[in-house]
Amino acid sequence: MARLFIRAIQERIKPLGLSTGTFPVMLALWEKEGQTQRELVQELGVEQATMANTLSRMERDGLVIRRSHEADARVQTVWLTERAWGLREPAIEAATEVNNLATRGMSEQQRTEFTTLMSQVIANLSEV
Amino acid sequence: MARLFIRAIQERIKPLGLSTGTFPVMLALWEKEGQTQRELVQELGVEQATMANTLSRMERDGLVIRRSHEADARVQTVWLTERAWGLREPAIEAATEVNNLATRGMSEQQRTEFTTLMSQVIANLSEV
DNA sequence: TTTCATAATATAGCTTGCTATGCAAATATA
DNA sequence: TATATTTGCATAGCAAGCTATATTATGAAA
């Protein structure tokens, strides 16, 4: 299911210059810009090394820039570029389309039940 | 959810010398040995190149051997080693444990509903 | 003040997914 | 029969996940 979902969304956001690795980071930064790498790691639940590499690719591709923290030289804050801000609407539209496609034929109640159950699985597997 | 699931299962089957990439291939071959690469690709829904690489690693690690087809020189059939056969019970046990862990706190009815809904999503996204 | 531990990030090296492309064998067609 | 197409598999190269380890800056302790 995850592979199919990734394929469907990749297909639609690739023309925007986004991918399934960068999209969650964009969502987090659209919500709150200037977060540190550590904050993004905690929020998105990937390993620190994964985030470091993803941010490097995003910087290379002109989606974000990293500014060093004024108070702590170890820390870098992450900021979106102009281009990255412009992708917000079409990217979210693409994601919504895939969600609708994935849950086609379900009642509203089934959709809710499905996300509730997935959240429960996430909670169960998180506390291991 | 997929990442958490992968982590949980990886942790338990790694001591057996298996991984989330090889496990589905093992399941398919435990069920029916001697399948061709093309058959495995169709059954598991990954790309041909992915399967070729996975089978190479499995051969390297002594899980399978590839024998050339007697009638068609392009085709290779895949066979499990002694060691691979011995992993069947503990691997399935590990997977069952993770399934139980993931669905902890759900009623039997909710579990059924969950798998039904996931199957529907898979069907929906497959026919795109 | 020097040293030690901790914290934030980067890097190396692996797996597993992908697309694109190459190659050899088998099959179809001219 | 000679050529063209199709089929089965391999390889190259990338993304994104992981673990393990290195590097640098900060803060705590001696």
Side-chain angles (χ1 to χ4, degrees), chain A residues 29-92:
Chain A
L29 293 174
W30 282 327
E31 203 61 40
K32 186 185 168 201
E33 214 185 0
Q35 296 192 65
T36 68
Q37 185 186 112
R38 192 176 138 275
E39 288 170 331
L40 291 169
V41 162
Q42 291 180 325
E43 187 173 346
L44 302 186
V46 296
E47 291 300 318
Q48 175 268 320
T50 301
M51 184 56 70
N53 284 325
T54 299
L55 289 174
S56 292
R57 282 194 304 276
M58 293 176 77
E59 195 164 32
R60 180 200 64 190
D61 297 342
L63 291 170
V64 301
I65 53 169
R66 287 189 264 199
R67 284 193 212 132
S68 48
H69 197 276
E70 63 277 1
D72 188 336
R74 294 170 302 180
V75 180
Q76 293 198 309
T77 55
V78 184
W79 304 83
L80 294 165
T81 61
E82 282 291 318
R83 187 162 89 73
W85 277 111
L87 299 172
R88 190 175 192 173
E89 303 307 325
I92 288 174

Side-chain angles (χ1 to χ4, degrees), chain A residues 11-31:
Chain A
E11 190 180 300
R12 285 163 182 79
I13 60 178
K14 194 178 179 182
L16 305 173
L18 296 179
S19 63
T20 49
T22 61
F23 198 179
V25 179
M26 300 288 278
L27 281 171
L29 293 174
W30 282 327
E31 203 61 40

Side-chain angles (χ1 to χ4, degrees), chain A residues 124-125, chain B residues 5 8-10 12-13 16 18 23 27 30 87-104 108 111 115:
Chain A
N124 283 342
L125 293 179
Chain B
F5 195 81
I9 227 182
Q10 197 89 274
R12 285 162 182 81
I13 61 178
L16 304 173
L18 295 179
F23 197 179
L27 282 171
W30 283 326
L87 299 173
R88 190 176 192 173
E89 303 307 323
I92 288 174
E93 195 177 339
T96 306
E97 188 193 336
V98 173
N99 283 348
N100 290 338
L101 229 131
T103 57
R104 207 168 26 167
E108 203 47 55
R111 269 170 235 230
T115 49

